[in-house]
Amino acid sequence: MKLVPPGADCANCPLNNPESGDGPVMARPNKRAKLAIVGQEPGFDELLEGEPFVGRSGRSLDRALDDFDIRRQTDTYVTNARCCVPKRKLTAEEDHQSYVACRQRLYNELEKVQARVVVALGAGALKSLTVEQIQNFANFAHCYLAE
């Protein structure tokens, strides 16, 4: 039986199936975070470690944070818009449904953290943060990390 993240609608998610998805990978709580970083979805390394952004993308993120003297462990909250890893290429509808199923979970996380800035890394992360939800945060930035 899969762990159901608080607020997630796993019953309506196409990844809630052993043939379709693995996970979930949950963020490490950090209520002191000033910066919330939202990625699209975990990868294989994240699935193994059970934590977002520990693979190649995580190393890129760490270098970018270091450039700005931001300490990941104390200054940031790192999560993903979708908390499970797809095992196969999803149709456009399945892709959309999986982000929608995780949306309330993401909102709940961000409301608990109350970071001053939320950064969406990628189109899936940005689409998960609707205009109405973005207006609830003090600041919002959308950017992509380049390798």
Side-chain angles (χ1 to χ4, degrees), residues 2 5 7-17 20-22 24 39-42 80-107 123-125 127-129:
K2 267 188 179 179
D9 184 14
C10 296
N12 290 314
C13 180
L15 298 180
N16 189 23
N17 176 325
S20 301
D22 280 327
Q40 294 193 154
E41 65 192 21
N80 283 298
R82 180 164 54 201
C83 59
C84 290
V85 181
K87 286 185 174 179
R88 61 176 171 75
K89 183 162 176 51
L90 301 176
T91 66
E93 181 61 25
E94 289 172 323
D95 188 59
H96 174 74
Q97 286 173 345
S98 66
Y99 281 112
V100 168
C102 259
R103 187 173 284 156
Q104 190 59 52
R105 179 229 16 115
L106 177 61
Y107 292 174
K127 285 189 269 185
S128 290
L129 298 166

Side-chain angles (χ1 to χ4, degrees), residues 12-91:
N12 290 314
C13 180
L15 298 180
N16 189 23
N17 176 325
E19 289 80 43
S20 301
D22 280 327
V25 173
M26 300 304 297
R28 179 181 292 161
N30 182 1
K31 291 186 179 183
R32 297 178 317 212
K34 298 175 187 103
L35 171 67
I37 299 168
V38 180
Q40 294 193 154
E41 65 192 21
F44 181 73
D45 292 327
E46 289 75 15
L47 187 60
L48 291 177
E49 295 291 324
E51 186 177 336
F53 284 90
V54 294
R56 198 171 93 202
S57 295
R59 289 188 295 278
S60 294
L61 175 63
D62 289 342
R63 285 192 303 273
L65 293 172
D66 286 344
D67 287 346
F68 292 97
D69 293 321
I70 298 171
R71 294 179 307 275
R72 180 175 174 167
Q73 298 303 321
T74 58
D75 298 337
T76 67
Y77 179 78
V78 181
T79 190
N80 283 298
R82 180 164 54 201
C83 59
C84 290
V85 181
K87 286 185 174 179
R88 61 176 171 75
K89 183 162 176 51
L90 301 176
T91 66

